[in-house]
């Protein structure tokens, strides 16, 4: 049986906002807010001198999403208040549902601004005339003994293998959603916030690398014949390409974030997030083990289905490891300070 420590009612026991461990969660929130402000400042400075303009619909869509999250949070609080003295199984079940809803809503309200400003940054950074580095990445792959075209033909030659790689590659979004739902269900706001903090820190490293080393991807560079990848999806590794060309053309671009494409090729963000999901589930061995297998297949799938160079994958893995170490270091420093303050208070 899979068990994850379940906290007592997070929102209904008089604690401030939705924190389980106030000190730890404050540090996690601080990381997320700091990264969000960093992207926001860069966007505000860079956007007016770029070719990108923000579609007015962005603000209405963002307001609706924030309003929905706030409404969910308030509904959860109301349910807890109305059922505070009830002890029936139905009341306990409803309080659990309300607590879970509050965690999900609160984490969403923190994640939404981060996702919005980081998406804008990725588009601004892609609207550049800096030469693409795919040739350098392909040369680096060759130096490592990796032939992307040969690997594509080999995996394409086995439809079951190609099918498994496609399914695994496209499992990332459901995995992220499922992770948030899991942590909300067991009322672990701390775990959800840790994962958002990892996404935040990794976005900084990813954004920096993609701005410095823009790439279009292995499909765009090698231009393989259609029959060499017909076991994969029709637009494998090329979903972003027309959007990238428009951004690099120097023409005006009207950005509606809800329709944004994933433009990051170097480093592979699929790889980074896949590794960070496994790390996030480290306390759940029976969940982490199958997810680790799935994500190992997904990382392999980033090559033929995602159209990544091997160098992209290696860089994505490095981004994940460094991001984990950064978050752990910040948390450790905060914990030492918290313990020192507690010891001083007890004297």
């Amino acid at each position: 049986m899979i068990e994850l420590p379940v906290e007592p009612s997070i929102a209904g026991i008089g604690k401030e906002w939705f924190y389980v461990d106030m000190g730890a969660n404050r540090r996690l929130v601080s990381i997320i807010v700091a990264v969000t402000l960093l992207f926001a400042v860069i966007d505000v400075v860079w956007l007016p001198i770029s070719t990108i303009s923000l579609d007015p619909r962005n603000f209405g869509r963002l307001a609706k999403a924030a309003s929905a999250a706030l409404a969910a949070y308030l509904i959860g609080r109301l349910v807890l208040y109305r059922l505070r003295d009830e002890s029936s199984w139905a009341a306990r079940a409803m309080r659990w549902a309300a607590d879970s809803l509050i965690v999900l809503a609160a984490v969403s309200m923190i994640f939404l601004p981060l996702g919005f400003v980081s998406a804008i940054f990725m588009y601004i950074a892609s609207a550049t005339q800096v030469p693409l580095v795919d040739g350098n990445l392909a040369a680096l792959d060759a130096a490592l003994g990796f032939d992307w075209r040969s690997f594509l033909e080999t995996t394409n030659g086995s439809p079951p293998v190609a099918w498994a790689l496609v399914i695994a590659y496209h499992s990332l979004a459901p995995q992220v959603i499922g992770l948030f739902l899991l942590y909300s269900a067991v009322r672990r706001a701390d775990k959800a916030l840790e994962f958002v903090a990892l996404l935040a820190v990794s976005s900084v490293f990813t954004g920096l690398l993609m701005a410095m080393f823009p790439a279009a991807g292995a499909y765009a560079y090698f231009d393989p014949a259609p029959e060499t990848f017909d076991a994969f999806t029709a637009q494998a590794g090329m979903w972003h390409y027309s959007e990238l060309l428009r951004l690099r053309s120097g023409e005006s671009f009207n950005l509606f974030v809800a329709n944004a494409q994933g433009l990051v090729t170097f480093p592979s963000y699929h790889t980074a997030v896949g590794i960070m999901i496994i790390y996030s589930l480290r306390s759940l061995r029976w969940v982490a083990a199958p997810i680790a297998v799935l994500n190992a297949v997904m990382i392999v799938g980033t090559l033929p289905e995602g159209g990544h160079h091997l160098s992209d994958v290696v860089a994505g893995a490095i981004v994940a490891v460094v991001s984990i170490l950064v978050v752990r270091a910040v948390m450790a420093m905060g914990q030492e300070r918290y313990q020192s303050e507690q010891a001083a208070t007890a004297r």
Side-chain angles (χ1 to χ4, degrees):
M1 181 177 179
I2 298 172
E3 295 182 357
L4 185 68
V6 179
E7 297 295 328
S9 176
I10 290 173
I13 58 178
K15 288 190 176 182
E16 186 178 335
W17 197 25
F18 68 103
Y19 294 115
V20 179
D21 175 349
M22 290 295 291
N25 281 5
R26 280 176 174 162
R27 291 187 290 275
L28 291 169
V29 171
S30 296
I31 294 172
I32 299 164
V33 171
V35 171
T36 301
L37 291 176
L38 174 63
F39 277 124
V41 169
I42 296 174
D43 292 347
V44 168
V45 173
W46 201 353
L47 190 63
I49 58 176
S50 74
T51 58
I52 295 176
S53 60
L54 290 181
D55 192 304
R57 292 177 296 170
N58 283 305
F59 305 103
R61 183 64 64 89
L62 186 61
K64 288 180 181 178
S67 298
L70 179 60
Y73 178 84
L74 294 176
I75 289 171
R77 296 290 301 189
L78 178 62
V79 170
L80 290 175
Y81 177 76
R82 293 293 299 272
L83 298 177
R84 64 192 185 281
D85 298 324
E86 298 290 333
S87 58
S88 66
W89 70 267
R92 291 196 299 271
M94 291 182 68
R95 282 198 297 269
W96 166 81
D99 272 331
S100 301
L101 183 62
I102 286 170
V103 171
L104 183 61
V107 172
S108 297
M109 285 189 283
I110 293 177
F111 179 72
L112 281 171
L114 171 66
F116 184 71
V117 296
S118 60
I120 294 172
F121 173 86
M122 302 303 173
Y123 267 73
I124 298 174
S126 297
T128 177
Q129 299 298 315
V130 177
L132 297 171
V133 300
D134 290 279
N136 303 87
L137 296 174
L140 181 56
D141 284 4
L144 294 172
F146 181 76
D147 186 330
W148 185 84
R149 284 173 292 194
S150 176
F151 183 80
L152 177 65
E153 292 175 2
T154 299
T155 52
N156 190 69
S158 176
V161 170
W163 177 83
L165 294 176
V166 169
I167 295 298
Y169 179 81
H170 293 282
S171 72
L172 184 62
Q175 284 189 56
V176 172
I177 294 170
L179 196 66
F180 283 126
L181 292 176
L182 170 64
Y183 290 149
S184 298
V186 295
R187 295 165 290 172
R188 289 298 300 269
D190 55 329
K191 295 292 292 182
L193 286 171
E194 179 192 61
F195 185 66
V196 177
L198 289 170
L199 292 177
V201 173
S202 62
S203 293
V204 173
F205 293 122
T206 299
L208 178 63
L209 289 172
M210 71 168 291
M212 294 175 61
F213 307 105
Y219 277 99
Y221 180 74
F222 290 110
D223 191 22
E227 61 270 18
T228 63
F229 62 93
D230 55 9
F232 295 94
T233 57
Q235 293 296 314
M238 292 291 282
W239 305 280
H240 70 298
Y241 191 57
S242 62
E243 194 102 318
L244 180 64
L245 291 181
R246 286 179 59 200
L247 288 165
R248 291 178 58 83
S249 69
E251 299 177 359
S252 298
F253 188 96
N254 188 49
L255 174 59
F256 183 39
V257 173
N259 294 337
Q261 300 290 320
L263 297 173
V264 179
T265 297
F266 178 83
S268 167
Y269 203 54
H270 259 71
T271 300
V273 176
I275 292 172
M276 293 188 301
I277 288 174
I278 298 169
Y279 172 76
S280 180
L281 291 168
R282 62 195 180 279
S283 60
L284 284 174
R285 296 179 181 177
W286 296 106
V287 177
I291 291 297
V293 173
L294 173 62
N295 286 356
V297 177
M298 179 187 72
I299 290 171
V300 175
T302 61
L303 297 164
E305 176 64 14
H308 282 286
H309 302 279
L310 179 62
S311 306
D312 303 336
V313 176
V314 173
I318 293 173
V319 165
V321 172
V322 173
S323 299
I324 290 169
L325 292 175
V326 168
V327 171
R328 287 179 65 93
V330 172
M331 296 299 291
M333 289 188 295
Q335 187 65 28
E336 290 174 2
R337 179 180 176 184
Y338 176 76
Q339 290 174 347
S340 297
E341 292 175 351
Q342 290 293 100
T345 302
R347 291 172 185 167

